[in-house]
Amino acid sequence: MEKKKIVFISWAPYCSRSDNIARELNGKSFMVYYGSLGSNYITISFKYFLQALDTIKILVRERPQIVFCMTPPIFTSLPAWLYTKIFKKGGYVLDYHTAAFVMGIYRKLYSIQGFFARRSLLNIVTNDVLKKEIDNWGAESFILGDIRVRFEKIAEFQNFKPGFNIAFVGRYSPTEPLDILFDAAKYLREYGVNFYVTGSLKDAPREAIEKCPENVYLTDFLEDPVYGGLLNDSDAVMSLCTNDNTMQRGAYEAMSLETPIIISDWDLLRRTFSKGAVYVKNDVESIIEGVKKMLKYHNLYSEEIRLLKEQRARVWENKKEELLYRIEQEIERRNKWPH
C-alpha cells in the first residue's frame, strides 16, 4: 500500500487501542472529549457538537488521507464522513468497541450505525460474532483482535504492599464484577494477596469505595508511565468482564509487559490468550481458585506469557498487512465505482 497519512479520532478521554493502532500504522491519535459536560440528555447534544467541531478542525489541519474513528459513539463518524466527502480524501474506517453492539442505547441507533458503516472503507471488529452484525448492514467488515501494545515510558509504581500483588485493570464499568472481586479478595487476604484497582475514582460508585476490603487498593487514574509500571511490576494482571465477545485491552497490555494474566473464561479470550493465563468464571469461588493457581504455578505462567507475546506479535504483523491491503483495495474499488 502506498503510504497514506492516517489520523485516528476518539471521542474519549483516553483509549489505548486507538493510540496503538495509530502508532503501528504510523499515524496520529487524537482524543477529543469534553468530559466536563457529562453525558446526560441535557448536555450530550452540545457536547457532541463541540467534539464534532474540534474533530473537523483537527482533520482540516492535519489533512489525512485516511481517518480512523473509534465507535461508539457512532456520531464520531459524521465529521469524518463530511471531511472525506468535501476534501475528496480516501475515506474513513470505523473501529468498533463491543458496547456498540450490546448496550441498549447503541442498539437503538442501529439504523444510524448502518448508514455510516456502509459508507466507511472498512468496519473493524474483534470477533466473528460482531462481524456478522456488520455483514448484516451490508458493510465491509474486518476482524482485528490483535494490536501490538508498546509503552513508550515505564515509571515506578510506588504503592506496592508486601505480598503477591495483582493489578485489576478497570474503569468502574457495570461489566466489571468488582463486588465479586471484593468478596474473593477478603478470603485471599490470608494468602498475602493484594489487589490494585485502576480507574478514575470520580467514576467509582460510592459502594465500591465504602466496601473496599483492606487488601484492595483503588489507585485512581494513573498516567501512562505509572500505569505501565503497575502492570510491569505486578505479579499478575486481572482483567474480568461479564460480557462475552469483549476483547480485554488490559490483558493485551499485561502481555506486552510479559506479566501473566487472570482473565474471564470466554471463548474469544481463551483463543487469544492461549498461554500464560488463568481463566476464571465471574464468581467468587472461581476467582479464588484462579488466584491460588496463579500463586502455585507463577513461574510457569511467566514463561508462557513471554512465548505468547512473541506469537501474538507475528499474528499482528500479518493482520496489519492485511488491514492496509483491504483499505487500499476498497479505495481503488470506490474510485472506479463511486457511490
Side-chain angles (χ1 to χ4, degrees), residues 35-59:
S36 60
L37 293 176
S39 297
N40 59 66
Y41 289 109
I42 298 174
T43 63
I44 195 71
S45 296
F46 186 54
K47 176 182 178 180
Y48 283 178
F49 174 74
L50 292 176
Q51 291 175 178
L53 284 181
D54 280 3
T55 298
I56 291 172
K57 290 177 184 177
I58 291 170
L59 297 178

PDB file of all heavy atoms in Angstrom, residues 35-59:
ATOM      1  N   GLY A  35     -15.280  16.193  28.770  1.00  0.00           N
ATOM      2  CA  GLY A  35     -15.778  15.435  29.909  1.00  0.00           C
ATOM      3  C   GLY A  35     -16.542  16.263  30.915  1.00  0.00           C
ATOM      4  O   GLY A  35     -17.435  15.756  31.603  1.00  0.00           O
ATOM      5  N   SER A  36     -16.243  17.558  30.999  1.00  0.00           N
ATOM      6  CA  SER A  36     -16.908  18.412  31.982  1.00  0.00           C
ATOM      7  C   SER A  36     -18.396  18.573  31.713  1.00  0.00           C
ATOM      8  O   SER A  36     -19.163  18.939  32.603  1.00  0.00           O
ATOM      9  CB  SER A  36     -16.249  19.791  32.011  1.00  0.00           C
ATOM     10  OG  SER A  36     -16.346  20.411  30.738  1.00  0.00           O
ATOM     11  N   LEU A  37     -18.812  18.270  30.478  1.00  0.00           N
ATOM     12  CA  LEU A  37     -20.236  18.398  30.126  1.00  0.00           C
ATOM     13  C   LEU A  37     -21.042  17.149  30.494  1.00  0.00           C
ATOM     14  O   LEU A  37     -22.268  17.157  30.386  1.00  0.00           O
ATOM     15  CB  LEU A  37     -20.384  18.679  28.629  1.00  0.00           C
ATOM     16  CG  LEU A  37     -19.864  20.043  28.160  1.00  0.00           C
ATOM     17  CD1 LEU A  37     -19.972  20.158  26.648  1.00  0.00           C
ATOM     18  CD2 LEU A  37     -20.636  21.169  28.830  1.00  0.00           C
ATOM     19  N   GLY A  38     -20.363  16.105  30.910  1.00  0.00           N
ATOM     20  CA  GLY A  38     -21.078  14.894  31.292  1.00  0.00           C
ATOM     21  C   GLY A  38     -21.705  14.204  30.091  1.00  0.00           C
ATOM     22  O   GLY A  38     -21.391  14.504  28.934  1.00  0.00           O
ATOM     23  N   SER A  39     -22.622  13.281  30.367  1.00  0.00           N
ATOM     24  CA  SER A  39     -23.275  12.528  29.287  1.00  0.00           C
ATOM     25  C   SER A  39     -24.771  12.400  29.523  1.00  0.00           C
ATOM     26  O   SER A  39     -25.393  11.400  29.157  1.00  0.00           O
ATOM     27  CB  SER A  39     -22.651  11.129  29.169  1.00  0.00           C
ATOM     28  OG  SER A  39     -21.287  11.210  28.819  1.00  0.00           O
ATOM     29  N   ASN A  40     -25.374  13.403  30.145  1.00  0.00           N
ATOM     30  CA  ASN A  40     -26.813  13.352  30.370  1.00  0.00           C
ATOM     31  C   ASN A  40     -27.563  13.893  29.152  1.00  0.00           C
ATOM     32  O   ASN A  40     -26.975  14.501  28.250  1.00  0.00           O
ATOM     33  CB  ASN A  40     -27.202  14.121  31.639  1.00  0.00           C
ATOM     34  CG  ASN A  40     -26.792  15.582  31.572  1.00  0.00           C
ATOM     35  OD1 ASN A  40     -27.315  16.339  30.756  1.00  0.00           O
ATOM     36  ND2 ASN A  40     -25.855  15.982  32.425  1.00  0.00           N
ATOM     37  N   TYR A  41     -28.873  13.681  29.135  1.00  0.00           N
ATOM     38  CA  TYR A  41     -29.671  14.039  27.966  1.00  0.00           C
ATOM     39  C   TYR A  41     -29.684  15.539  27.703  1.00  0.00           C
ATOM     40  O   TYR A  41     -29.917  15.984  26.579  1.00  0.00           O
ATOM     41  CB  TYR A  41     -31.103  13.527  28.143  1.00  0.00           C
ATOM     42  CG  TYR A  41     -31.216  12.025  28.047  1.00  0.00           C
ATOM     43  CD1 TYR A  41     -31.487  11.248  29.181  1.00  0.00           C
ATOM     44  CD2 TYR A  41     -31.028  11.378  26.840  1.00  0.00           C
ATOM     45  CE1 TYR A  41     -31.573   9.856  29.101  1.00  0.00           C
ATOM     46  CE2 TYR A  41     -31.109   9.997  26.742  1.00  0.00           C
ATOM     47  CZ  TYR A  41     -31.386   9.246  27.867  1.00  0.00           C
ATOM     48  OH  TYR A  41     -31.464   7.891  27.789  1.00  0.00           O
ATOM     49  N   ILE A  42     -29.430  16.345  28.717  1.00  0.00           N
ATOM     50  CA  ILE A  42     -29.467  17.789  28.559  1.00  0.00           C
ATOM     51  C   ILE A  42     -28.211  18.294  27.849  1.00  0.00           C
ATOM     52  O   ILE A  42     -28.274  19.169  26.973  1.00  0.00           O
ATOM     53  CB  ILE A  42     -29.615  18.484  29.928  1.00  0.00           C
ATOM     54  CG1 ILE A  42     -30.949  18.074  30.582  1.00  0.00           C
ATOM     55  CG2 ILE A  42     -29.535  20.006  29.788  1.00  0.00           C
ATOM     56  CD1 ILE A  42     -31.118  18.599  31.991  1.00  0.00           C
ATOM     57  N   THR A  43     -27.052  17.731  28.193  1.00  0.00           N
ATOM     58  CA  THR A  43     -25.783  18.264  27.688  1.00  0.00           C
ATOM     59  C   THR A  43     -25.176  17.477  26.531  1.00  0.00           C
ATOM     60  O   THR A  43     -24.265  17.978  25.872  1.00  0.00           O
ATOM     61  CB  THR A  43     -24.751  18.301  28.823  1.00  0.00           C
ATOM     62  OG1 THR A  43     -24.493  16.949  29.284  1.00  0.00           O
ATOM     63  CG2 THR A  43     -25.247  19.147  29.978  1.00  0.00           C
ATOM     64  N   ILE A  44     -25.659  16.259  26.282  1.00  0.00           N
ATOM     65  CA  ILE A  44     -24.978  15.389  25.325  1.00  0.00           C
ATOM     66  C   ILE A  44     -24.924  15.974  23.925  1.00  0.00           C
ATOM     67  O   ILE A  44     -23.919  15.870  23.219  1.00  0.00           O
ATOM     68  CB  ILE A  44     -25.626  13.981  25.305  1.00  0.00           C
ATOM     69  CG1 ILE A  44     -24.713  12.978  24.590  1.00  0.00           C
ATOM     70  CG2 ILE A  44     -26.997  14.012  24.666  1.00  0.00           C
ATOM     71  CD1 ILE A  44     -23.488  12.613  25.354  1.00  0.00           C
ATOM     72  N   SER A  45     -26.019  16.655  23.488  1.00  0.00           N
ATOM     73  CA  SER A  45     -26.034  17.219  22.136  1.00  0.00           C
ATOM     74  C   SER A  45     -24.999  18.327  22.001  1.00  0.00           C
ATOM     75  O   SER A  45     -24.263  18.393  20.999  1.00  0.00           O
ATOM     76  CB  SER A  45     -27.427  17.769  21.804  1.00  0.00           C
ATOM     77  OG  SER A  45     -28.378  16.734  21.788  1.00  0.00           O
ATOM     78  N   PHE A  46     -24.918  19.190  23.004  1.00  0.00           N
ATOM     79  CA  PHE A  46     -23.936  20.266  22.975  1.00  0.00           C
ATOM     80  C   PHE A  46     -22.517  19.706  23.029  1.00  0.00           C
ATOM     81  O   PHE A  46     -21.609  20.183  22.346  1.00  0.00           O
ATOM     82  CB  PHE A  46     -24.184  21.217  24.147  1.00  0.00           C
ATOM     83  CG  PHE A  46     -23.323  22.439  24.143  1.00  0.00           C
ATOM     84  CD1 PHE A  46     -23.268  23.271  23.028  1.00  0.00           C
ATOM     85  CD2 PHE A  46     -22.555  22.755  25.248  1.00  0.00           C
ATOM     86  CE1 PHE A  46     -22.459  24.405  23.012  1.00  0.00           C
ATOM     87  CE2 PHE A  46     -21.739  23.883  25.253  1.00  0.00           C
ATOM     88  CZ  PHE A  46     -21.700  24.707  24.133  1.00  0.00           C
ATOM     89  N   LYS A  47     -22.329  18.676  23.851  1.00  0.00           N
ATOM     90  CA  LYS A  47     -21.027  18.022  23.968  1.00  0.00           C
ATOM     91  C   LYS A  47     -20.586  17.452  22.623  1.00  0.00           C
ATOM     92  O   LYS A  47     -19.449  17.688  22.175  1.00  0.00           O
ATOM     93  CB  LYS A  47     -21.115  16.905  25.012  1.00  0.00           C
ATOM     94  CG  LYS A  47     -19.859  16.067  25.178  1.00  0.00           C
ATOM     95  CD  LYS A  47     -20.119  14.977  26.218  1.00  0.00           C
ATOM     96  CE  LYS A  47     -18.935  14.073  26.397  1.00  0.00           C
ATOM     97  NZ  LYS A  47     -19.189  13.018  27.409  1.00  0.00           N
ATOM     98  N   TYR A  48     -21.478  16.718  21.944  1.00  0.00           N
ATOM     99  CA  TYR A  48     -21.140  16.133  20.653  1.00  0.00           C
ATOM    100  C   TYR A  48     -20.903  17.214  19.602  1.00  0.00           C
ATOM    101  O   TYR A  48     -20.046  17.053  18.711  1.00  0.00           O
ATOM    102  CB  TYR A  48     -22.244  15.186  20.197  1.00  0.00           C
ATOM    103  CG  TYR A  48     -22.227  13.834  20.892  1.00  0.00           C
ATOM    104  CD1 TYR A  48     -23.188  12.871  20.608  1.00  0.00           C
ATOM    105  CD2 TYR A  48     -21.245  13.514  21.825  1.00  0.00           C
ATOM    106  CE1 TYR A  48     -23.168  11.634  21.232  1.00  0.00           C
ATOM    107  CE2 TYR A  48     -21.222  12.288  22.455  1.00  0.00           C
ATOM    108  CZ  TYR A  48     -22.194  11.344  22.152  1.00  0.00           C
ATOM    109  OH  TYR A  48     -22.174  10.111  22.765  1.00  0.00           O
ATOM    110  N   PHE A  49     -21.657  18.316  19.686  1.00  0.00           N
ATOM    111  CA  PHE A  49     -21.467  19.408  18.741  1.00  0.00           C
ATOM    112  C   PHE A  49     -20.063  19.989  18.870  1.00  0.00           C
ATOM    113  O   PHE A  49     -19.364  20.212  17.870  1.00  0.00           O
ATOM    114  CB  PHE A  49     -22.520  20.498  18.976  1.00  0.00           C
ATOM    115  CG  PHE A  49     -22.330  21.728  18.142  1.00  0.00           C
ATOM    116  CD1 PHE A  49     -22.623  21.718  16.782  1.00  0.00           C
ATOM    117  CD2 PHE A  49     -21.847  22.899  18.712  1.00  0.00           C
ATOM    118  CE1 PHE A  49     -22.438  22.851  16.002  1.00  0.00           C
ATOM    119  CE2 PHE A  49     -21.661  24.037  17.943  1.00  0.00           C
ATOM    120  CZ  PHE A  49     -21.959  24.015  16.582  1.00  0.00           C
ATOM    121  N   LEU A  50     -19.624  20.233  20.094  1.00  0.00           N
ATOM    122  CA  LEU A  50     -18.293  20.786  20.317  1.00  0.00           C
ATOM    123  C   LEU A  50     -17.199  19.793  19.888  1.00  0.00           C
ATOM    124  O   LEU A  50     -16.187  20.184  19.297  1.00  0.00           O
ATOM    125  CB  LEU A  50     -18.110  21.148  21.786  1.00  0.00           C
ATOM    126  CG  LEU A  50     -18.947  22.316  22.318  1.00  0.00           C
ATOM    127  CD1 LEU A  50     -18.726  22.503  23.809  1.00  0.00           C
ATOM    128  CD2 LEU A  50     -18.628  23.600  21.561  1.00  0.00           C
ATOM    129  N   GLN A  51     -17.431  18.506  20.177  1.00  0.00           N
ATOM    130  CA  GLN A  51     -16.452  17.495  19.782  1.00  0.00           C
ATOM    131  C   GLN A  51     -16.380  17.364  18.268  1.00  0.00           C
ATOM    132  O   GLN A  51     -15.292  17.144  17.706  1.00  0.00           O
ATOM    133  CB  GLN A  51     -16.783  16.157  20.453  1.00  0.00           C
ATOM    134  CG  GLN A  51     -16.545  16.205  21.957  1.00  0.00           C
ATOM    135  CD  GLN A  51     -16.964  14.949  22.711  1.00  0.00           C
ATOM    136  OE1 GLN A  51     -16.791  14.871  23.920  1.00  0.00           O
ATOM    137  NE2 GLN A  51     -17.516  13.977  22.032  1.00  0.00           N
ATOM    138  N   ALA A  52     -17.519  17.504  17.595  1.00  0.00           N
ATOM    139  CA  ALA A  52     -17.525  17.453  16.135  1.00  0.00           C
ATOM    140  C   ALA A  52     -16.746  18.632  15.555  1.00  0.00           C
ATOM    141  O   ALA A  52     -15.978  18.480  14.596  1.00  0.00           O
ATOM    142  CB  ALA A  52     -18.963  17.449  15.615  1.00  0.00           C
ATOM    143  N   LEU A  53     -16.936  19.825  16.127  1.00  0.00           N
ATOM    144  CA  LEU A  53     -16.205  20.998  15.658  1.00  0.00           C
ATOM    145  C   LEU A  53     -14.698  20.804  15.830  1.00  0.00           C
ATOM    146  O   LEU A  53     -13.914  21.107  14.917  1.00  0.00           O
ATOM    147  CB  LEU A  53     -16.650  22.244  16.418  1.00  0.00           C
ATOM    148  CG  LEU A  53     -17.994  22.869  16.036  1.00  0.00           C
ATOM    149  CD1 LEU A  53     -18.258  24.102  16.885  1.00  0.00           C
ATOM    150  CD2 LEU A  53     -18.037  23.229  14.552  1.00  0.00           C
ATOM    151  N   ASP A  54     -14.298  20.314  16.998  1.00  0.00           N
ATOM    152  CA  ASP A  54     -12.874  20.084  17.233  1.00  0.00           C
ATOM    153  C   ASP A  54     -12.322  19.028  16.279  1.00  0.00           C
ATOM    154  O   ASP A  54     -11.177  19.127  15.810  1.00  0.00           O
ATOM    155  CB  ASP A  54     -12.644  19.641  18.678  1.00  0.00           C
ATOM    156  CG  ASP A  54     -12.645  20.815  19.648  1.00  0.00           C
ATOM    157  OD1 ASP A  54     -12.884  21.948  19.200  1.00  0.00           O
ATOM    158  OD2 ASP A  54     -12.425  20.592  20.857  1.00  0.00           O
ATOM    159  N   THR A  55     -13.127  17.998  16.006  1.00  0.00           N
ATOM    160  CA  THR A  55     -12.699  16.952  15.071  1.00  0.00           C
ATOM    161  C   THR A  55     -12.459  17.528  13.683  1.00  0.00           C
ATOM    162  O   THR A  55     -11.451  17.232  13.033  1.00  0.00           O
ATOM    163  CB  THR A  55     -13.750  15.835  15.006  1.00  0.00           C
ATOM    164  OG1 THR A  55     -13.889  15.235  16.295  1.00  0.00           O
ATOM    165  CG2 THR A  55     -13.351  14.762  14.007  1.00  0.00           C
ATOM    166  N   ILE A  56     -13.389  18.349  13.229  1.00  0.00           N
ATOM    167  CA  ILE A  56     -13.231  18.974  11.909  1.00  0.00           C
ATOM    168  C   ILE A  56     -11.976  19.832  11.868  1.00  0.00           C
ATOM    169  O   ILE A  56     -11.218  19.818  10.888  1.00  0.00           O
ATOM    170  CB  ILE A  56     -14.486  19.800  11.560  1.00  0.00           C
ATOM    171  CG1 ILE A  56     -15.679  18.859  11.321  1.00  0.00           C
ATOM    172  CG2 ILE A  56     -14.242  20.663  10.326  1.00  0.00           C
ATOM    173  CD1 ILE A  56     -16.999  19.573  11.166  1.00  0.00           C
ATOM    174  N   LYS A  57     -11.734  20.591  12.936  1.00  0.00           N
ATOM    175  CA  LYS A  57     -10.535  21.431  12.992  1.00  0.00           C
ATOM    176  C   LYS A  57      -9.266  20.584  12.873  1.00  0.00           C
ATOM    177  O   LYS A  57      -8.316  20.938  12.157  1.00  0.00           O
ATOM    178  CB  LYS A  57     -10.503  22.224  14.298  1.00  0.00           C
ATOM    179  CG  LYS A  57     -11.553  23.318  14.382  1.00  0.00           C
ATOM    180  CD  LYS A  57     -11.495  24.001  15.749  1.00  0.00           C
ATOM    181  CE  LYS A  57     -12.602  25.041  15.891  1.00  0.00           C
ATOM    182  NZ  LYS A  57     -12.590  25.662  17.254  1.00  0.00           N
ATOM    183  N   ILE A  58      -9.247  19.451  13.572  1.00  0.00           N
ATOM    184  CA  ILE A  58      -8.079  18.560  13.515  1.00  0.00           C
ATOM    185  C   ILE A  58      -7.889  18.016  12.103  1.00  0.00           C
ATOM    186  O   ILE A  58      -6.777  18.016  11.563  1.00  0.00           O
ATOM    187  CB  ILE A  58      -8.241  17.400  14.520  1.00  0.00           C
ATOM    188  CG1 ILE A  58      -8.150  17.918  15.953  1.00  0.00           C
ATOM    189  CG2 ILE A  58      -7.175  16.320  14.274  1.00  0.00           C
ATOM    190  CD1 ILE A  58      -8.539  16.901  16.999  1.00  0.00           C
ATOM    191  N   LEU A  59      -8.973  17.571  11.483  1.00  0.00           N
ATOM    192  CA  LEU A  59      -8.875  16.971  10.155  1.00  0.00           C
ATOM    193  C   LEU A  59      -8.455  17.992   9.104  1.00  0.00           C
ATOM    194  O   LEU A  59      -7.626  17.684   8.224  1.00  0.00           O
ATOM    195  CB  LEU A  59     -10.209  16.325   9.776  1.00  0.00           C
ATOM    196  CG  LEU A  59     -10.661  15.161  10.667  1.00  0.00           C
ATOM    197  CD1 LEU A  59     -12.018  14.642  10.224  1.00  0.00           C
ATOM    198  CD2 LEU A  59      -9.629  14.039  10.665  1.00  0.00           C
TER     199      LEU A  59
END
